[in-house]
Amino acid sequence: VLPIENGAVQVGGAVNLTPALNTATYNQAVAAVGFTGTAYDMGENSLVDVLLYATGISAGGSVRLDYSTDNTTWFPNNTTTYSITIADPHYVILGLKTGSRYIRVSTSDSSPFRTTNLKMTFSSKRN
């Protein structure tokens, strides 16, 4: 924070700022088993926050995160699932570290989770 004196503050030379935060929001319906959300490209960033918010839920269940290094071959994380219910239709994952470049939200074939709209907001930042 600089005080503004004489009505102006000047910065000399090229600043070359690089964005340290990438964000994207996707909205999709979850109407059938085996749902896979839109893939998010984290770029060179390594810490990820994920905000999930469901509206119009008709049944609760769980979702998981899938990972990919090439956006073609996906590795579902079947050991960690996130519960979204009618009573609590949101979930926040903070500071997730992954060695993969791409991430997406999905459901297993056995999850009963359904919703009119699942809002998936991803934010990735440099470690």
Side-chain angles (χ1 to χ4, degrees), residues 85-126:
T85 65
I86 296 169
D88 190 2
H90 69 281
Y91 203 96
V92 180
I93 305 163
L94 296 174
L96 180 70
K97 292 185 178 183
T98 174
S100 299
R101 179 172 174 175
Y102 301 91
I103 192 171
R104 71 182 183 192
V105 175
S106 72
T107 61
S108 67
D109 289 343
S110 61
S111 175
F113 177 67
R114 304 287 180 275
T115 185
T116 305
N117 181 63
L118 179 62
K119 181 177 182 179
M120 301 164 282
T121 302
F122 298 88
S123 298
S124 60
K125 55 196 170 216
R126 287 179 175 77

Side-chain angles (χ1 to χ4, degrees), residues 24-127:
T25 299
Y26 306 109
N27 291 283
Q28 291 181 242
V30 181
V33 296
F35 163 80
T36 55
T38 302
Y40 172 62
D41 184 349
M42 295 179 287
E44 299 173 358
N45 301 293
S46 59
L47 288 177
V48 183
D49 297 337
V50 183
L51 171 62
L52 304 174
Y53 180 64
T55 56
I57 290 179
S58 58
S62 60
V63 298
R64 66 185 181 203
L65 298 178
D66 298 339
Y67 305 97
S68 175
T69 57
D70 58 6
N71 202 19
T72 302
T73 305
W74 286 92
F75 303 95
N77 187 340
N78 291 316
T79 59
T80 302
T81 58
Y82 307 98
S83 177
I84 299 177
T85 65
I86 296 169
D88 190 2
H90 69 281
Y91 203 96
V92 180
I93 305 163
L94 296 174
L96 180 70
K97 292 185 178 183
T98 174
S100 299
R101 179 172 174 175
Y102 301 91
I103 192 171
R104 71 182 183 192
V105 175
S106 72
T107 61
S108 67
D109 289 343
S110 61
S111 175
F113 177 67
R114 304 287 180 275
T115 185
T116 305
N117 181 63
L118 179 62
K119 181 177 182 179
M120 301 164 282
T121 302
F122 298 88
S123 298
S124 60
K125 55 196 170 216
R126 287 179 175 77
N127 189 357

